[in-house]
Short mmCIF file of all heavy atoms in Angstrom, two decimals:
data_model
loop_
_atom_site.label_atom_id
_atom_site.label_comp_id
_atom_site.label_asym_id
_atom_site.label_seq_id
_atom_site.Cartn_x
_atom_site.Cartn_y
_atom_site.Cartn_z
N THR A 221 1.08 3.11 -2.18
CA THR A 221 0.78 2.66 -3.55
C THR A 221 -0.72 2.38 -3.69
O THR A 221 -1.26 2.46 -4.83
CB THR A 221 1.55 1.33 -3.89
OG1 THR A 221 1.29 0.35 -2.91
CG2 THR A 221 3.00 1.64 -3.99
N GLU A 222 -1.41 2.09 -2.60
CA GLU A 222 -2.84 1.85 -2.67
C GLU A 222 -3.49 2.46 -1.42
O GLU A 222 -2.92 2.48 -0.39
CB GLU A 222 -3.20 0.31 -2.68
CG GLU A 222 -2.76 -0.40 -3.91
CD GLU A 222 -3.60 -0.15 -5.10
OE1 GLU A 222 -4.76 0.24 -4.92
OE2 GLU A 222 -3.15 -0.39 -6.19
N ILE A 223 -4.75 2.89 -1.59
CA ILE A 223 -5.52 3.36 -0.48
C ILE A 223 -6.91 2.65 -0.60
O ILE A 223 -7.58 2.71 -1.59
CB ILE A 223 -5.73 4.88 -0.47
CG1 ILE A 223 -4.41 5.60 -0.38
CG2 ILE A 223 -6.71 5.30 0.61
CD1 ILE A 223 -4.49 7.09 -0.46
N PHE A 224 -7.27 1.92 0.49
CA PHE A 224 -8.50 1.18 0.48
C PHE A 224 -9.44 1.88 1.56
O PHE A 224 -9.14 1.80 2.79
CB PHE A 224 -8.32 -0.30 0.88
CG PHE A 224 -7.45 -1.04 -0.06
CD1 PHE A 224 -6.38 -1.82 0.36
CD2 PHE A 224 -7.66 -0.97 -1.44
CE1 PHE A 224 -5.65 -2.52 -0.53
CE2 PHE A 224 -6.90 -1.72 -2.33
CZ PHE A 224 -5.88 -2.51 -1.89
N GLU A 225 -10.44 2.50 1.03
CA GLU A 225 -11.38 3.15 1.88
C GLU A 225 -12.52 2.23 2.23
O GLU A 225 -12.92 1.42 1.41
CB GLU A 225 -11.95 4.46 1.28
CG GLU A 225 -10.87 5.55 1.11
CD GLU A 225 -11.44 6.86 0.61
OE1 GLU A 225 -12.08 7.54 1.45
OE2 GLU A 225 -11.21 7.15 -0.53
N ASN A 226 -13.12 2.41 3.41
CA ASN A 226 -14.19 1.53 3.87
C ASN A 226 -15.10 2.38 4.72
O ASN A 226 -14.68 2.95 5.76
CB ASN A 226 -13.55 0.40 4.66
CG ASN A 226 -14.55 -0.43 5.45
OD1 ASN A 226 -15.71 -0.47 5.14
ND2 ASN A 226 -14.09 -1.06 6.48
N GLU A 227 -16.36 2.49 4.29
CA GLU A 227 -17.24 3.34 5.04
C GLU A 227 -17.55 2.92 6.46
O GLU A 227 -17.93 3.73 7.30
CB GLU A 227 -18.56 3.58 4.26
CG GLU A 227 -19.35 2.30 3.95
CD GLU A 227 -20.46 2.46 3.00
OE1 GLU A 227 -20.25 3.15 1.95
OE2 GLU A 227 -21.56 1.98 3.30
N ASP A 228 -17.32 1.67 6.80
CA ASP A 228 -17.53 1.15 8.13
C ASP A 228 -16.29 1.45 9.03
O ASP A 228 -16.33 1.29 10.24
CB ASP A 228 -17.81 -0.30 8.16
CG ASP A 228 -19.10 -0.59 7.41
OD1 ASP A 228 -19.98 0.28 7.43
OD2 ASP A 228 -19.24 -1.69 6.79
N GLY A 229 -15.13 1.78 8.44
CA GLY A 229 -13.88 1.94 9.19
C GLY A 229 -13.88 3.27 9.95
O GLY A 229 -14.47 4.27 9.52
N ASP A 230 -13.06 3.30 11.05
CA ASP A 230 -12.96 4.56 11.77
C ASP A 230 -11.51 4.86 12.10
O ASP A 230 -11.24 5.86 12.71
CB ASP A 230 -13.79 4.45 13.05
CG ASP A 230 -13.39 3.25 13.94
OD1 ASP A 230 -12.58 2.45 13.57
OD2 ASP A 230 -13.98 3.12 15.00
N MET A 231 -10.55 4.05 11.65
CA MET A 231 -9.11 4.28 11.90
C MET A 231 -8.34 3.92 10.68
O MET A 231 -8.64 2.94 9.99
CB MET A 231 -8.66 3.40 13.07
CG MET A 231 -7.23 3.39 13.34
SD MET A 231 -6.55 4.94 13.98
CE MET A 231 -6.98 4.81 15.67
N TRP A 232 -7.38 4.74 10.36
CA TRP A 232 -6.49 4.45 9.18
C TRP A 232 -5.34 3.57 9.64
O TRP A 232 -4.72 3.86 10.71
CB TRP A 232 -5.96 5.74 8.59
CG TRP A 232 -6.99 6.52 7.77
CD1 TRP A 232 -7.68 7.55 8.22
CD2 TRP A 232 -7.36 6.21 6.44
NE1 TRP A 232 -8.54 8.03 7.21
CE2 TRP A 232 -8.39 7.19 6.11
CE3 TRP A 232 -7.02 5.31 5.52
CZ2 TRP A 232 -9.01 7.21 4.89
CZ3 TRP A 232 -7.63 5.32 4.27
CH2 TRP A 232 -8.58 6.27 3.95
N TYR A 233 -5.08 2.50 8.95
CA TYR A 233 -3.98 1.60 9.25
C TYR A 233 -3.00 1.63 8.09
O TYR A 233 -3.36 1.53 6.91
CB TYR A 233 -4.52 0.22 9.46
CG TYR A 233 -5.33 0.02 10.69
CD1 TYR A 233 -6.67 0.25 10.75
CD2 TYR A 233 -4.69 -0.33 11.91
CE1 TYR A 233 -7.44 0.17 11.87
CE2 TYR A 233 -5.47 -0.46 13.10
CZ TYR A 233 -6.76 -0.22 13.09
OH TYR A 233 -7.48 -0.31 14.27
N LYS A 234 -1.72 1.65 8.38
CA LYS A 234 -0.65 1.61 7.46
C LYS A 234 -0.15 0.14 7.40
O LYS A 234 0.04 -0.51 8.39
CB LYS A 234 0.45 2.51 8.02
CG LYS A 234 1.64 2.69 7.11
CD LYS A 234 2.47 3.85 7.69
CE LYS A 234 3.96 3.58 7.55
NZ LYS A 234 4.73 4.72 8.03
N SER A 235 0.05 -0.35 6.19
CA SER A 235 0.40 -1.68 6.01
C SER A 235 1.57 -1.80 5.09
O SER A 235 1.69 -0.99 4.11
CB SER A 235 -0.79 -2.52 5.47
OG SER A 235 -0.38 -3.78 5.13
N LYS A 236 2.42 -2.79 5.27
CA LYS A 236 3.54 -3.03 4.36
C LYS A 236 3.36 -4.44 3.78
O LYS A 236 3.22 -5.42 4.52
CB LYS A 236 4.88 -2.92 5.04
CG LYS A 236 6.06 -3.15 4.16
CD LYS A 236 7.34 -2.93 4.94
CE LYS A 236 8.56 -3.19 4.04
NZ LYS A 236 9.83 -3.11 4.83
N ILE A 237 3.29 -4.51 2.41
CA ILE A 237 3.18 -5.83 1.79
C ILE A 237 4.44 -6.04 0.95
O ILE A 237 5.05 -5.07 0.54
CB ILE A 237 1.90 -5.98 0.94
CG1 ILE A 237 1.96 -5.07 -0.27
CG2 ILE A 237 0.66 -5.75 1.71
CD1 ILE A 237 1.02 -5.50 -1.38
N SER A 238 4.73 -7.29 0.68
CA SER A 238 5.86 -7.58 -0.18
C SER A 238 5.48 -8.78 -1.05
O SER A 238 4.66 -9.61 -0.74
CB SER A 238 7.12 -7.90 0.65
OG SER A 238 6.88 -9.05 1.44
N TYR A 239 6.14 -8.75 -2.25
CA TYR A 239 5.92 -9.86 -3.21
C TYR A 239 7.17 -10.01 -4.04
O TYR A 239 8.03 -9.10 -4.09
CB TYR A 239 4.68 -9.63 -4.08
CG TYR A 239 4.71 -8.32 -4.81
CD1 TYR A 239 5.19 -8.26 -6.08
CD2 TYR A 239 4.20 -7.17 -4.23
CE1 TYR A 239 5.23 -7.03 -6.76
CE2 TYR A 239 4.17 -5.98 -4.92
CZ TYR A 239 4.68 -5.93 -6.18
OH TYR A 239 4.69 -4.74 -6.91
N ALA A 240 7.34 -11.11 -4.71
CA ALA A 240 8.47 -11.38 -5.57
C ALA A 240 8.21 -10.89 -6.93
O ALA A 240 7.11 -11.09 -7.51
CB ALA A 240 8.80 -12.90 -5.52
N SER A 241 9.22 -10.27 -7.57
CA SER A 241 9.08 -9.80 -8.93
C SER A 241 10.38 -10.16 -9.69
O SER A 241 11.46 -10.21 -9.07
CB SER A 241 8.91 -8.28 -8.94
OG SER A 241 8.89 -7.82 -10.24
N VAL A 242 10.26 -10.39 -10.97
CA VAL A 242 11.40 -10.70 -11.76
C VAL A 242 11.94 -9.54 -12.49
O VAL A 242 11.18 -8.80 -13.19
CB VAL A 242 11.09 -11.85 -12.81
CG1 VAL A 242 12.30 -12.19 -13.68
CG2 VAL A 242 10.57 -13.12 -12.06
N ASP A 243 13.25 -9.21 -12.34
CA ASP A 243 13.89 -8.14 -13.02
C ASP A 243 14.02 -8.45 -14.49
O ASP A 243 14.64 -9.50 -14.84
CB ASP A 243 15.22 -7.81 -12.39
CG ASP A 243 15.91 -6.54 -12.98
OD1 ASP A 243 15.31 -5.86 -13.79
OD2 ASP A 243 17.07 -6.31 -12.63
N GLU A 244 13.42 -7.62 -15.34
CA GLU A 244 13.42 -7.89 -16.79
C GLU A 244 14.83 -7.98 -17.39
O GLU A 244 15.13 -8.81 -18.29
CB GLU A 244 12.56 -6.89 -17.54
CG GLU A 244 11.10 -6.99 -17.25
CD GLU A 244 10.29 -5.96 -17.98
OE1 GLU A 244 10.80 -5.38 -18.92
OE2 GLU A 244 9.17 -5.73 -17.51
N LYS A 245 15.78 -7.17 -16.99
CA LYS A 245 17.07 -7.11 -17.59
C LYS A 245 17.93 -8.26 -17.14
O LYS A 245 18.56 -8.89 -17.97
CB LYS A 245 17.76 -5.78 -17.20
CG LYS A 245 17.16 -4.56 -17.80
CD LYS A 245 17.85 -3.33 -17.39
CE LYS A 245 17.18 -2.11 -18.03
NZ LYS A 245 17.79 -0.85 -17.63
N SER A 246 18.02 -8.54 -15.84
CA SER A 246 18.91 -9.57 -15.29
C SER A 246 18.22 -10.93 -15.21
O SER A 246 18.87 -11.94 -15.16
CB SER A 246 19.46 -9.17 -13.92
OG SER A 246 18.41 -9.13 -13.01
N GLY A 247 16.88 -10.93 -15.19
CA GLY A 247 16.15 -12.20 -15.05
C GLY A 247 16.14 -12.72 -13.66
O GLY A 247 15.70 -13.82 -13.39
N LYS A 248 16.69 -11.94 -12.69
CA LYS A 248 16.72 -12.38 -11.26
C LYS A 248 15.47 -11.97 -10.51
O LYS A 248 14.82 -10.92 -10.86
CB LYS A 248 17.95 -11.75 -10.58
CG LYS A 248 19.24 -12.28 -11.12
CD LYS A 248 20.42 -11.67 -10.35
CE LYS A 248 21.71 -12.26 -10.86
NZ LYS A 248 22.84 -11.73 -10.13
N GLU A 249 15.11 -12.74 -9.54
CA GLU A 249 13.95 -12.45 -8.76
C GLU A 249 14.30 -11.48 -7.67
O GLU A 249 15.41 -11.60 -7.08
CB GLU A 249 13.42 -13.76 -8.14
CG GLU A 249 12.10 -13.62 -7.48
CD GLU A 249 11.51 -14.95 -7.03
OE1 GLU A 249 11.09 -15.68 -7.83
OE2 GLU A 249 11.53 -15.13 -5.76
N LYS A 250 13.49 -10.47 -7.41
CA LYS A 250 13.76 -9.52 -6.37
C LYS A 250 12.49 -9.30 -5.59
O LYS A 250 11.36 -9.53 -6.04
CB LYS A 250 14.24 -8.20 -6.95
CG LYS A 250 13.26 -7.44 -7.79
CD LYS A 250 13.79 -6.11 -8.28
CE LYS A 250 12.75 -5.42 -9.14
NZ LYS A 250 13.17 -4.10 -9.58
N LYS A 251 12.70 -8.85 -4.34
CA LYS A 251 11.55 -8.61 -3.41
C LYS A 251 11.11 -7.17 -3.56
O LYS A 251 11.93 -6.24 -3.51
CB LYS A 251 12.02 -8.88 -2.00
CG LYS A 251 10.89 -8.80 -0.97
CD LYS A 251 11.39 -9.18 0.44
CE LYS A 251 10.36 -8.96 1.45
NZ LYS A 251 10.82 -9.32 2.80
N VAL A 252 9.83 -6.96 -3.76
CA VAL A 252 9.25 -5.61 -3.89
C VAL A 252 8.34 -5.33 -2.68
O VAL A 252 7.54 -6.22 -2.34
CB VAL A 252 8.46 -5.46 -5.20
CG1 VAL A 252 7.80 -4.09 -5.29
CG2 VAL A 252 9.31 -5.75 -6.36
N SER A 253 8.53 -4.23 -2.05
CA SER A 253 7.67 -3.81 -0.86
C SER A 253 6.88 -2.59 -1.23
O SER A 253 7.34 -1.68 -1.90
CB SER A 253 8.52 -3.50 0.33
OG SER A 253 9.20 -4.68 0.74
N ASN A 254 5.61 -2.57 -0.85
CA ASN A 254 4.72 -1.46 -1.03
C ASN A 254 3.99 -1.15 0.27
O ASN A 254 3.75 -2.04 1.08
CB ASN A 254 3.61 -1.83 -2.09
CG ASN A 254 4.15 -1.84 -3.50
OD1 ASN A 254 5.12 -1.15 -3.83
ND2 ASN A 254 3.60 -2.76 -4.29
N GLN A 255 3.65 0.12 0.40
CA GLN A 255 2.84 0.52 1.54
C GLN A 255 1.42 0.80 1.13
O GLN A 255 1.17 1.41 0.08
CB GLN A 255 3.45 1.82 2.22
CG GLN A 255 4.71 1.56 2.86
CD GLN A 255 5.14 2.75 3.73
OE1 GLN A 255 4.36 3.46 4.25
NE2 GLN A 255 6.48 2.89 3.89
N ILE A 256 0.53 0.34 1.96
CA ILE A 256 -0.91 0.51 1.64
C ILE A 256 -1.57 1.17 2.90
O ILE A 256 -1.19 0.84 4.05
CB ILE A 256 -1.57 -0.91 1.41
CG1 ILE A 256 -1.00 -1.52 0.16
CG2 ILE A 256 -3.09 -0.81 1.31
CD1 ILE A 256 -1.43 -2.93 -0.06
N LEU A 257 -2.51 2.02 2.62
CA LEU A 257 -3.26 2.66 3.71
C LEU A 257 -4.69 2.14 3.60
O LEU A 257 -5.31 2.13 2.53
CB LEU A 257 -3.26 4.20 3.48
CG LEU A 257 -3.71 5.05 4.64
CD1 LEU A 257 -2.81 4.91 5.84
CD2 LEU A 257 -3.80 6.51 4.26
N VAL A 258 -5.22 1.68 4.75
CA VAL A 258 -6.55 1.07 4.74
C VAL A 258 -7.40 1.66 5.87
O VAL A 258 -6.86 1.77 7.00
CB VAL A 258 -6.51 -0.45 4.78
CG1 VAL A 258 -5.82 -1.00 5.97
CG2 VAL A 258 -7.89 -1.09 4.62
N LEU A 259 -8.63 2.04 5.61
CA LEU A 259 -9.57 2.48 6.64
C LEU A 259 -10.37 1.24 7.13
O LEU A 259 -11.03 0.57 6.37
CB LEU A 259 -10.50 3.55 6.02
CG LEU A 259 -11.50 4.24 6.97
CD1 LEU A 259 -10.69 5.02 8.05
CD2 LEU A 259 -12.37 5.19 6.27
N ALA A 260 -10.18 0.99 8.41
CA ALA A 260 -10.79 -0.19 8.99
C ALA A 260 -11.19 0.01 10.43
O ALA A 260 -10.86 0.99 11.02
CB ALA A 260 -9.81 -1.42 8.86
N SER A 261 -11.91 -0.96 10.98
CA SER A 261 -12.35 -0.92 12.39
C SER A 261 -11.33 -1.35 13.32
O SER A 261 -11.22 -0.90 14.52
CB SER A 261 -13.62 -1.75 12.57
OG SER A 261 -14.63 -1.30 11.70
N ASN A 262 -10.47 -2.34 12.94
CA ASN A 262 -9.43 -2.88 13.77
C ASN A 262 -8.44 -3.54 12.92
O ASN A 262 -8.53 -3.55 11.70
CB ASN A 262 -10.05 -3.86 14.82
CG ASN A 262 -10.86 -4.96 14.18
OD1 ASN A 262 -10.45 -5.51 13.20
ND2 ASN A 262 -12.01 -5.22 14.73
N VAL A 263 -7.37 -4.14 13.45
CA VAL A 263 -6.25 -4.69 12.74
C VAL A 263 -6.82 -5.91 11.87
O VAL A 263 -6.39 -6.04 10.73
CB VAL A 263 -5.09 -5.18 13.64
CG1 VAL A 263 -4.04 -5.91 12.88
CG2 VAL A 263 -4.50 -3.89 14.34
N LYS A 264 -7.62 -6.73 12.51
CA LYS A 264 -8.16 -7.89 11.73
C LYS A 264 -9.00 -7.44 10.52
O LYS A 264 -8.83 -7.97 9.43
CB LYS A 264 -9.03 -8.77 12.66
CG LYS A 264 -9.82 -9.83 11.84
CD LYS A 264 -9.68 -11.18 12.38
CE LYS A 264 -10.46 -12.23 11.68
NZ LYS A 264 -10.42 -12.29 10.28
N ASP A 265 -9.78 -6.39 10.71
CA ASP A 265 -10.57 -5.80 9.63
C ASP A 265 -9.63 -5.26 8.56
O ASP A 265 -9.90 -5.43 7.36
CB ASP A 265 -11.52 -4.75 10.18
CG ASP A 265 -12.50 -4.27 9.17
OD1 ASP A 265 -12.91 -5.00 8.24
OD2 ASP A 265 -12.88 -3.05 9.22
N ALA A 266 -8.57 -4.61 8.95
CA ALA A 266 -7.56 -4.08 8.00
C ALA A 266 -6.92 -5.21 7.19
O ALA A 266 -6.85 -5.09 5.96
CB ALA A 266 -6.53 -3.29 8.72
#
């Protein structure tokens, strides 16, 4: 869903994030997961 490029990075890292979202029809809260690709130097930098 997102790609974060970084000119100092040398390795692509795949990340999974999640957040809560409210379903408009039912009004219930649901968990949404997205994958992000980030170019970084190490895991902490990512």
Side-chain angles (χ1 to χ4, degrees):
T221 55
E222 294 284 340
I223 297 176
F224 299 131
E225 293 187 75
N226 168 22
E227 57 191 46
D228 297 330
D230 55 359
M231 171 70 79
W232 286 99
Y233 290 89
K234 183 170 143 176
S235 172
K236 182 177 177 183
I237 67 160
S238 62
Y239 57 92
S241 176
V242 177
D243 185 5
E244 292 179 17
K245 292 180 182 177
S246 66
K248 293 183 180 180
E249 191 173 286
K250 64 179 182 176
K251 185 178 177 179
V252 177
S253 294
N254 289 327
Q255 288 191 31
I256 295 173
L257 193 65
V258 60
L259 185 60
S261 302
N262 53 45
V263 174
K264 170 128 178 46
D265 187 33

